[in-house]
Amino acid sequence: MSLRILGGSAQGRAFSVPDSARPSSVRIRKSLFDLLAVRCPEGAFLDLHGGSGAVSLEAASRGYAVTVIERDPAAVRTLTANARALELRASIIQGDAGGLLTRLPPHDLVFSDPPYTQDIAAFTALVLASPPLKPGGLLIAQHPRQLRLPQAEGYELERRDYGSNALSLYTRLE
């Protein structure tokens, strides 16, 4: 399977998707980056679950300084090859996002789309309690639409639904 970059320096170029990945839909990616173009058009972007690379490669194509965490070694190889082929700069780290949270520097944007078998609400709470989000930064949590993520102290929560998926946007208050 392959996908295409929607915007930026690699717009229209295809990249391959690892077999283990569940890529974010074109609708979600387009909506996400339309929103970010207004709210935070540049900065440090952390993708906690690289998977297909659809979101992180799109971010790199649009000029964000991208760091990607991915547990699956085969997916890491595919992500690295895709970034190289598309001539995009992204730091790709193999490891478990939950275990790395306390060792990551703060980012302007953090994207979390964990495997849907994971306890997404608990993982989101873990991210919100960790250092990888700068004051004023934004955590974007992608999850099934039927799941309602809770409010969190020190964050403003906004939700957007897209078909069977939703994005919960947590803005860290200063």
Side-chain angles (χ1 to χ4, degrees):
M1 171 199 265
S2 69
L3 296 176
R4 293 199 178 277
I5 300 290
L6 302 175
S9 65
Q11 182 175 0
R13 295 186 58 197
F15 61 95
S16 50
V17 174
D19 292 335
S20 62
R22 175 189 41 82
S24 296
S25 71
V26 169
R27 181 178 179 199
I28 286 180
R29 286 188 291 139
K30 181 178 180 338
S31 297
L32 171 62
F33 285 97
D34 285 350
L35 177 110
L36 294 181
V38 173
R39 288 198 185 176
C40 188
E42 60 185 24
F45 189 104
L46 173 62
D47 185 344
L48 293 172
H49 312 278
S52 69
V55 171
S56 53
L57 295 172
E58 187 73 40
S61 178
R62 293 171 186 252
Y64 293 94
V66 174
T67 300
V68 184
I69 310 286
E70 175 54 48
R71 180 179 8 201
D72 178 29
V76 168
R77 287 190 295 276
T78 302
L79 285 165
T80 302
N82 284 333
R84 190 175 303 120
L86 295 169
E87 300 174 359
L88 297 174
R89 294 182 59 198
S91 174
I92 302 167
I93 301 167
Q94 183 177 341
D96 177 67
L100 294 171
L101 282 175
T102 59
R103 297 188 299 219
L104 296 168
H107 287 72
D108 301 293
L109 299 163
V110 176
F111 181 77
S112 178
D113 181 16
Y116 284 1
T117 57
Q118 186 168 357
D119 184 340
I120 295 170
F123 186 81
T124 300
L126 180 67
V127 174
L128 292 170
S130 300
L133 196 58
K134 289 181 179 179
L138 180 65
L139 166 65
I140 305 115
Q142 183 176 333
H143 54 86
R145 184 178 183 171
Q146 65 271 19
L147 178 65
R148 296 279 176 201
L149 294 181
Q151 295 281 343
E153 187 174 333
Y155 291 88
E156 182 179 305
L157 174 60
E158 176 184 347
R159 180 187 160 108
R160 300 200 176 195
D161 292 333
Y162 303 98
S164 63
N165 289 290
L167 296 176
S168 288
L169 311 165
Y170 288 88
T171 302
R172 183 172 174 194
L173 304 174
E174 310 239 3

